[in-house]
């Protein structure tokens, strides 16, 4: 199976624990792409917290100095709102030590030579300020490689991108290994897909079938059941002949949805679709809300959440599963009136003894809002990366790291 082979290959990379960092310059590619409000207050510092074990491991094991490299947002040049200066104090507070800030790669070199204390930590300014980052520029890769003796990738959220700081740099560093978070991520996916407790359930939602098409085709050999919710279920319901009225439907993918339903049936994978829906005639005002069978949406209305009967059905499917993989909310959870389906399923998953793997930023956010973050087995820090991994892809960042001796 494609997923299993890819995951096992990625599990074979060396970890920071497999090498000696004492007295060496270590560069860690972290993912500090955290959400902030208009006043630059961090609303969720999970990604910073998840990087701490790797940083502290290097400190505790005598690294000469540690340079942290991250991106923040999608800046067009040196835009001040995307500066990593906004997160410096939070990094210092969580690490419990001073962190030097370098506004350029050249500044990192100066700091490495001028700071006399061992285990000094340096935070480089947003790597996406450099045009060569996303182009995987050889020149930028070489400059980054010159900053370290050991390269550590601990940024799972960008591991599906072949950028200079995640891919190209490895050509210019002798030792390149995975950080503790990167290993934890891949080991969790291995537990869910390579050697899972059965039955395995995939819960998939969100707005578009197009973004999950490859996932649905490639994962059928690895799972036993699929729950499909969110706006993407509208396309599948239309494939079954239902009139979805004003609901969001990808008409050009109705035939593909029908093909997925047929393929799943051939492979004896049970697919569960909504049997009733919450619908409204206006998402913003939503003065008129109705609950109807999925095939009887009122004229001029659109489906915005799963209904109570579907919630009960999906809850039973969850309770009968031993491994649960969830990617995508089941309704417009950001609006209270349309959040019940997603929140109810989050409660159902938390009440099981199943191993639960949550992938995707919106799903993690919904589970946070449902108050169930601490009751999930593992919440991935990568959205696009977790989706590509579920699709069976070998992520580029893993391809270029050192492999363990077989």
């Amino acid at each position: 199976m494609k997923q299993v082979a890819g995951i096992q290959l990625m599990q074979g990379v060396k970890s920071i624990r497999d090498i000696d960092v004492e007295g060496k310059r270590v560069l860690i590619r972290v993912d500090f792409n955290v959400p902030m409000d208009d006043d630059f207050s961090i609303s969720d510092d999970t990604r910073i917290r998840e990087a701490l074990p790797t940083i502290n491991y290097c400190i505790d094991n005598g690294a000469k100095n540690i340079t942290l490299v991250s991106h923040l947002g999608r800046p067009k040049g040196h835009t001040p709102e995307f500066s990593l200066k906004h997160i410096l104090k939070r990094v210092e507070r969580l690490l419990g030590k001073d962190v030097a800030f370098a506004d350029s790669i050249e500044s990192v070199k100066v700091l490495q030579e001028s700071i006399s204390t061992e285990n000094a930590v340096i935070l480089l300014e947003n790597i996406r300020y450099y045009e060569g980052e996303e182009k995987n520029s050889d020149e930028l890769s070489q400059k980054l490689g010159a900053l370290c003796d050991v390269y550590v990738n601990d940024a799972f959220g960008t591991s599906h991108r072949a950028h200079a700081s995640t891919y190209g740099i490895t050509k210019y560093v002798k030792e390149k290994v995975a950080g503790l978070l990167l290993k934890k991520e891949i080991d969790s996916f291995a537990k869910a897909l390579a050697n899972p407790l059965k039955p395995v359930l995939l819960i998939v939602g969100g707005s578009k079938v197009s973004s999950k098409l490859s996932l649905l085709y490639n994962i059928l050999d690895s799972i036993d059941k699929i729950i499909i919710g969110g706006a993407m279920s509208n396309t599948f319901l239309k494939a079954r002949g239902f009139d979805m009225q004003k609901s969001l439907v990808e008409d050009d993918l109705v035939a593909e949805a029908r093909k997925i339903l047929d393929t799943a049936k051939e492979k004896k994978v049970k697919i569960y679709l909504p049997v009733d829906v919450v619908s409204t005639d206006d998402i913003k005002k939503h003065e008129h809300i109705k609950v109807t069978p999925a095939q009887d949406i009122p004229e001029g209305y659109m489906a915005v959440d799963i209904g109570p009967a579907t919630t009960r059905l999906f809850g039973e499917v969850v309770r009968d599963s031993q491994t649960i993989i969830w990617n995508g909310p089941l309704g417009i959870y950001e609006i209270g009136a349309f959040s019940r389906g997603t929140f109810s399923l989050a409660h159902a998953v938390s009440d099981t003894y199943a191993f639960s793997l949550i992938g995707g930023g919106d799903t993690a956010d919904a589970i946070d809002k449902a108050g169930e973050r601490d009751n999930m087995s593992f919440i991935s820090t990568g959205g696009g990366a977790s989706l590509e991994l579920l699709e069976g892809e070998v992520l580029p960042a893993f391809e270029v790291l050192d492999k363990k001796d077989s």
Side-chain angles (χ1 to χ4, degrees):
M1 286 182 287
K2 190 178 177 185
Q3 277 89 0
V4 175
I7 286 170
Q8 288 174 339
L9 187 149
M10 287 182 273
Q11 278 190 295
V13 302
K14 278 187 179 179
S15 144
I16 186 78
R17 293 187 190 278
D18 297 320
I19 63 167
D20 181 13
V21 299
E22 187 173 0
K24 296 175 182 176
R25 299 170 304 149
V26 179
L27 185 149
I28 308 175
R29 177 47 162 106
V30 291
D31 182 6
F32 288 170
N33 186 29
V34 293
M36 292 185 288
D37 63 21
D38 293 340
D39 298 320
F40 305 112
S41 295
I42 297 170
S43 55
D44 181 1
D45 62 7
T46 300
R47 286 180 169 176
I48 300 175
R49 290 176 184 275
E50 291 285 3
L52 297 180
T54 297
I55 301 168
N56 283 323
Y57 180 89
C58 293
I59 293 170
D60 294 344
N61 285 274
K64 183 177 181 181
N65 52 61
I66 300 143
T67 302
L68 307 178
V69 176
S70 179
H71 74 283
L72 178 63
R74 297 178 180 274
K76 304 272 195 216
H78 285 65
T79 40
E81 64 263 35
F82 293 113
S83 173
L84 288 181
K85 283 181 181 174
H86 302 308
I87 69 166
L88 179 63
K89 283 193 169 120
R90 183 68 62 94
V91 174
E92 287 183 320
R93 195 167 83 225
L94 291 173
L95 264 181
K97 67 178 293 173
D98 291 337
V99 175
F101 187 80
D103 57 13
S104 68
I105 290 173
E106 290 69 32
S107 298
V108 173
K109 288 181 184 176
V110 172
L111 287 167
Q112 285 179 335
E113 291 166 6
S114 62
I115 298 174
S116 57
T117 55
E118 293 292 298
N119 321 128
V121 179
I122 302 163
L123 176 64
L124 174 63
E125 179 60 284
N126 194 338
I127 191 64
R128 284 194 182 166
Y129 281 176
Y130 289 88
E131 191 179 328
E133 163 64 356
E134 293 182 85
K135 293 179 179 177
N136 192 25
S137 149
D138 199 58
E139 182 184 357
L140 180 59
S141 299
Q142 194 167 6
K143 284 181 178 178
L144 289 169
L147 299 177
C148 62
D149 307 305
V150 174
Y151 168 73
V152 183
N153 192 328
D154 211 29
F156 181 74
T158 58
S159 59
H160 59 313
R161 305 291 187 210
H163 291 171
S165 68
T166 60
Y167 193 87
I169 183 177
T170 59
K171 286 199 303 187
Y172 300 101
V173 185
K174 186 176 179 183
E175 293 183 289
K176 49 264 186 191
V177 297
L180 302 179
L181 173 60
L182 206 66
K183 290 293 287 182
K184 186 167 76 166
E185 290 270 5
I186 198 64
D187 288 344
S188 295
F189 278 93
K191 189 171 180 180
L193 289 168
N195 190 27
L197 290 171
K198 287 184 166 283
V200 181
L201 166 66
L202 170 68
I203 303 170
V204 63
S207 60
K208 293 184 178 179
V209 176
S210 51
S211 63
K212 309 277 171 71
L213 201 58
S214 183
L215 162 64
L216 291 170
Y217 273 124
N218 288 313
I219 207 168
L220 286 174
D221 289 325
S222 304
I223 59 173
D224 305 294
K225 302 178 280 188
I226 305 177
I227 284 175
I228 301 178
M232 67 179 291
S233 67
N234 299 334
T235 304
F236 283 88
L237 290 169
K238 185 163 185 177
R240 285 195 165 168
F242 294 1
D243 185 348
M244 300 309 294
Q245 297 295 339
K246 282 176 61 182
S247 303
L248 179 63
V249 172
E250 290 176 277
D251 288 309
D252 57 329
L253 291 176
V254 169
E256 287 287 352
R258 196 175 293 119
K259 190 176 174 184
I260 289 170
L261 291 170
D262 292 341
T263 305
K265 191 174 181 180
E266 287 170 16
K267 293 179 180 288
K268 295 183 169 52
V269 176
K270 178 72 173 171
I271 291 185
Y272 297 87
L273 294 169
V275 294
D276 65 342
V277 296
V278 176
S279 62
T280 182
D281 58 347
D282 191 314
I283 291 175
K284 290 183 179 176
K285 294 179 182 175
H286 55 267
E287 292 173 3
H288 304 105
I289 299 174
K290 294 185 178 182
V291 177
T292 64
Q295 65 268 39
D296 291 328
I297 298 172
E299 186 176 350
Y301 278 60
M302 66 197 82
V304 288
D305 194 10
I306 58 174
T310 303
T311 300
R312 284 194 294 274
L313 169 65
F314 287 1
E316 288 173 12
V317 178
V318 163
R319 282 188 287 277
D320 290 336
S321 304
Q322 291 297 315
T323 300
I324 300 167
I325 305 161
W326 187 354
N327 189 291
L330 305 187
I332 308 175
Y333 74 93
E334 300 93 338
I335 297 173
F338 312 140
S339 65
R340 289 180 186 172
T342 300
F343 290 179
S344 293
L345 205 66
H347 301 322
V349 172
S350 76
D351 285 341
T352 70
Y353 291 104
F355 175 77
S356 51
L357 172 63
I358 311 303
D362 285 344
T363 322
D365 183 52
I367 283 164
D368 255 347
K369 285 182 166 62
E372 297 290 5
R373 170 175 281 275
D374 294 338
N375 297 321
M376 301 297 161
S377 305
F378 186 76
I379 297 180
S380 176
T381 56
S386 65
L387 189 58
E388 287 195 20
L389 202 150
L390 288 170
E391 289 170 0
E393 300 299 324
V394 174
L395 305 181
F398 286 86
E399 292 176 348
V400 291
L401 298 179
D402 294 335
K403 307 297 185 292
K404 293 177 185 175
D405 296 329
S406 50

